[in-house]
């Protein structure tokens, strides 16, 4: 028989089993911390109406309540999981383009007779134009909503894919590529924001990493498409490869009929009842809904003193930020830029040329080595999904950036000093695969998680868009200059340069990135305030509901 005690504290009904009452800590400022023993349990109640039979719960009632809560939790998790998957489908488009273009460019060169410089421009222009989509995506998502911005992204990309498929000349092909880049820019910036805004705190890191999983899945699909359609005539095979990229857009159209709008955007539009309805579907505990809604209302400026206050325009606030917002912008823009300027897209786009420089000449072996890179990149992202909400964002970033620095340096040494041969080939493959593995474990998914959760609600979409602009700008710069830089300072020298930049990213993570694991989006804002201090030994009452043990 379990021993039960209850206590009512500042409107909270807490029940404790087995270990009795908690230790109450008062720091003198009316802020109370609860130090809980390992076996303590408490449950937050809405009101006294849920208490039955005085101070005692019947065992049957407890069992029924527990069963109902477990069923609700399962349903909620499945629903949020499905929404996160559907919201990530646009990321497949980006990954597919990266993967398929590495092979399609060979046949485009043969069919349209384009130069090496034109190849660089064709590959890199998508990333450059996607920054325009990301810039416009922030304001668009504030105007029409997160959900329909994802739909707009799919439509624009689909138009671009159609133009590329029927392109008779390089100029028309570039027009389609520009459209596709804008569509991808919309999708890349809005998916993490949407997922972060509908996800429960305890699973936000894993769920917000889904777009990175789908990017890697798209890369693998692109490699498969290259292999399947390479046997077609040179005039049509690359067109079919690019046309296949339209298929995910069909699933996105279906997804828009299923997923809800972000509750935080609904609050910004004063559609509070609709926001409450969405929160009821995405929160495991009904008792948390009103509390979450109150936090969102306060963050959106709908507090008791904020309703009549005129807010500064978002872009004016971003251009003239407060010290806290400036720190957020540095962290978000910086981590997104480091993700790409360390050369990950160049490694994926040009891996065949890298392996050729190491001594692989047979095309089938080049293809096998390239597929190994794709498989490694996809496999290790799963490790990040498992760990990101357990060990935290910052430890994964340390492991990732340090590991990438070592691997990039080893590839530079291999290409510079070991010449060509089986040993150099093995080291090059190991170094490149190690680089993408460390990328996928940390900075690949974590940068999207961070930029979707660190900004205040009122500027979140447009500030996240600025981060995505940094990502896409660096990606385009690296993709469009990699071959030229490699010709100027050799492939080995280029990887030494990437290694040095990666080393700088380690220092950036140490100095500028806070740990956001286990905090609500509204609480994360406090991490960037000068006065913010949180003792790990204390549990704030605002976090209390996250400490309920699951049986």
């Amino acid at each position: 028989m379990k021993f039960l005690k209850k206590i009512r504290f500042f409107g909270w009904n807490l029940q404790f089993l087995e270990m009795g009452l908690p230790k109450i800590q008062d720091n003198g400022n009316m802020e109370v911390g609860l130090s809980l023993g390992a076996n303590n349990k408490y449950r937050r109640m809405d009101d006294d109406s849920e208490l039955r039979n005085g101070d005692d719960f019947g065992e049957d009632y407890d069992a029924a309540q527990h069963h109902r809560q477990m069923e609700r939790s399962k349903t909620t998790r499945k629903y949020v999981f499905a929404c996160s998957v559907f919201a990530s489908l646009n990321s497949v488009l980006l990954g597919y383009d990266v993967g398929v273009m590495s092979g399609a460019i060979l046949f485009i060169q043969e069919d349209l007779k384009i130069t090496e410089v034109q190849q660089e421009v064709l590959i890199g222009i998508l990333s450059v134009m996607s920054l325009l989509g990301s810039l416009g995506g922030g304001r668009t998502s504030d105007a029409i909503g997160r959900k329909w911005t994802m739909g707009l992204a799919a439509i624009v990309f689909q138009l671009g894919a159609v133009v590329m498929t029927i392109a008779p000349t390089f100029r028309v092909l570039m027009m389609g590529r520009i459209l596709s880049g804008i569509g991808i820019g919309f999708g890349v910036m809005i998916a993490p924001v949407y997922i972060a805004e509908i996800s429960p705190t305890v699973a936000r890191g894993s769920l917000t990493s889904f777009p990175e999983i789908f990017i890697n899945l798209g890369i693998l699909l692109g490699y498969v498409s290259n292999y399947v359609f390479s046997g077609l005539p040179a005039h049509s095979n690359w067109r079919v490869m690019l046309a296949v990229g339209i298929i995910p857009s069909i699933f996105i159209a279906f997804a828009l009929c299923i997923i809800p709008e972000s509750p935080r955007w609904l609050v910004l539009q004063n559609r509070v009842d609709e926001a409450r309805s969405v929160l009821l579907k995405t929160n495991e505990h009904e008792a948390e809904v009103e509390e979450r809604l109150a936090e969102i209302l306060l963050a959106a400026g709908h507090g008791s003193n904020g309703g009549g206050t005129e807010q500064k325009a978002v872009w004016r606030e971003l251009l003239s930020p407060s010290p806290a917002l400036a720190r957020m912008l540095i962290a978000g823009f910086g981590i997104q830029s480091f993700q790409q300027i360390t050369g990950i897209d160049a490694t994926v786009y040009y891996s065949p040329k890298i392996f050729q420089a190491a001594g692989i000449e047979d095309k089938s072996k080049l293809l096998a080595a390239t597929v190994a890179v794709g498989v490694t990149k996809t496999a290790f992202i799963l490790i990040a999904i498992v760990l990101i909400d357990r060990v935290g964002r910052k430890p994964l970033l340390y492991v990732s950036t340090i590991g990438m620095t070592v691997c990039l340096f080893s590839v530079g040494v291999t290409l510079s000093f070991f010449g060509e041969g089986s040993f150099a080939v093995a080291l090059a493959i190991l170094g490149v695969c190690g680089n993408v593995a460390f990328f996928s474990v940390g900075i690949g998914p974590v940068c999207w998680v961070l930029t979707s959760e660190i900004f205040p609600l009122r500027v979140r979409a447009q500030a996240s868009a600025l981060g995505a602009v940094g990502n896409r700008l660096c990606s385009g710069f690296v993709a469009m200059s990699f071959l030229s830089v490699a010709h100027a300072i050799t492939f080995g020298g280029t990887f030494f340069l990437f290694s040095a930049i990666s080393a700088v990213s380690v220092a950036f993570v140490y100095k500028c990135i806070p740990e956001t694991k286990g905090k609500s989006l509204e609480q994360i804002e406090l991490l960037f305030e000068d006065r913010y201090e949180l003792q790990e030994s204390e549990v704030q009452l605002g976090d209390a509901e996250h400490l309920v043990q699951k049986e």
Side-chain angles (χ1 to χ4, degrees), residues 49 79 82 96 152 154 159 190 248 250 259 262 287 298 343 357 380 382 441 473 475 483 486 506 520 542:
S49 65
Y79 183 74
Y96 182 82
L152 178 62
L159 289 174
I190 197 56
I250 299 173
I259 64 176
S262 160
L298 183 61
F380 277 83
L382 301 178
V441 161
L473 183 63
S475 173
L483 291 179
V506 179
S520 72

Side-chain angles (χ1 to χ4, degrees), residues 82-96 150 154 187 191 195 210-211 214-215 217-218 245 247-256:
C83 290
S84 301
V85 169
F86 286 139
S88 302
L89 289 177
N90 269 314
S91 298
V92 175
L93 304 178
L94 172 59
Y96 182 82
M150 289 186 281
I195 296 172
F210 276 22
F214 280 76
I215 287 175
L217 178 61
I247 295 176
S249 300
I250 299 173
F251 293 99
I252 293 170
F254 170 76
L256 293 177

Side-chain angles (χ1 to χ4, degrees), residues 207-223:
L207 294 174
T208 312
S209 301
F210 276 22
E212 185 68 20
I213 295 179
F214 280 76
I215 287 175
N216 288 283
L217 178 61
I219 290 173
L220 281 180
L221 291 176
Y223 289 151

Side-chain angles (χ1 to χ4, degrees), residues 131-146 149 185-186 189-190 193 265 314-315 318 458-466 468-469:
L131 71 86
L132 295 181
S134 294
L135 270 176
R139 178 164 292 186
T140 301
S141 67
D142 282 342
I144 67 174
R146 312 328 191 198
T149 300
F186 275 108
M189 67 77 44
I190 197 56
V193 171
W265 182 81
V314 171
W315 279 108
L318 292 176
R458 64 188 179 276
V459 301
R460 181 172 297 140
Q462 297 190 44
S464 297
L466 285 177
V469 166

Side-chain angles (χ1 to χ4, degrees), residues 355-356 359-366 420 425:
F355 295 138
Q356 278 181 333
I360 301 179
E361 296 180 356
D362 184 81
K363 288 186 177 181
S364 62
K365 292 181 179 179
L366 278 175
E420 298 181 0
V425 167

Side-chain angles (χ1 to χ4, degrees), residues 35 40 114 145 167 218-219 294 304 338-339 440 491 497 547:
S35 297
N40 279 348
I114 62 176
I219 290 173
S304 58
F338 275 117
Q339 191 213 48
S440 291
F491 280 95
L497 179 60
L547 300 177

